[in-house]
Amino acid sequence: STPPPLVCCQPTMKTATASILALAASASAFAPTSSQQQAARGTQLSETKADLEALAEKSNPVLKYYDPLDLASTTIWGQSNESTIGFLRHAEIKHGRIAMFAFVGYIVHANGIKFPWAMQMDGAPFPSETNPPALWDAVSDDAKWQIFALIGFLEFWSE
C-alpha cells in the first residue's frame, strides 16, 4: 500500500530542456560584450599625483582634489611615489571591504543569527547574546587569538 508517485516532481524531457535553457540564458547575461572587452583593455590606472588630481576633478567638480595629509606626495618604505599611491589605493579598497564585512557581521549578530553547529571543538555552543560587544566578550581567548592569527596571515599573504 505505497502511495502513487507524484507526477509533478518527475523529470521529463520538457523540464530538463527548460532548466538547461534557463541556466544558459542566465549565464550569458554575465558574458562581456565586445564594447566591454575593449573598455577593459583601455582601462588605465591613475598612479601619479597629477593623475589623481585630474581624476578628482572629473569625479567631483565641487570638492575637486582633497588630500589633507598630503599622502599622495609621500613615499612609504623607500618606494617610489607611484608605488606609495598604488599601495594606499589598495589599502583603501581592502579596508573599505573589511568595514562592509564587519557591518554585515554586526547586523547578523544583533539579529541573533548564528551557525547551527558548535563553536568550539569541545562542543561549546555559540553564545546566545544579541549585543555584538557582549558577544565578543563571551568568546574565549583561544578563539580570539585564532581570529587575530587568521587576520595576520591574510595581511601577510596579500602584501
Side-chain angles (χ1 to χ4, degrees):
S1 84
T2 60
L6 296 174
V7 177
C8 67
C9 298
Q10 292 181 355
T12 63
M13 187 60 129
K14 269 189 208 178
T15 57
T17 305
S19 299
I20 291 170
L21 289 175
L23 288 173
S26 64
S28 66
F30 298 102
T33 61
S34 61
S35 64
Q36 288 175 336
Q37 288 171 343
Q38 288 187 3
R41 279 189 230 123
T43 302
Q44 197 171 340
L45 295 177
S46 302
E47 298 214 359
T48 64
K49 186 174 179 179
D51 291 338
L52 291 177
E53 289 172 353
L55 180 65
E57 177 76 30
K58 284 192 290 185
S59 298
N60 191 347
V62 175
L63 183 61
K64 298 181 178 140
Y65 181 72
Y66 182 71
D67 186 10
L69 299 177
D70 200 28
L71 292 174
S73 300
T74 61
T75 57
I76 299 177
W77 298 305
Q79 298 290 325
S80 67
N81 184 256
E82 289 79 18
S83 296
T84 299
I85 289 173
F87 172 79
L88 291 173
R89 292 181 80 183
H90 172 76
E92 182 179 11
I93 291 169
K94 179 171 59 172
H95 291 111
R97 289 175 180 162
I98 296 297
M100 290 185 277
F101 186 68
F103 176 75
V104 170
Y106 191 94
I107 296 300
V108 164
H109 290 302
N111 287 307
I113 301 169
K114 58 185 176 181
F115 292 116
W117 53 80
M119 181 175 76
Q120 296 184 9
M121 297 300 278
D122 63 359
F126 283 92
S128 60
E129 299 283 334
T130 57
N131 180 6
L135 203 140
W136 176 254
D137 292 339
V139 172
S140 70
D141 288 340
D142 290 339
K144 289 177 186 175
W145 280 111
Q146 184 179 10
I147 292 168
F148 291 139
L150 176 67
I151 292 169
F153 170 75
L154 292 175
E155 281 289 323
F156 175 76
W157 186 42
S158 74
E159 297 302 326

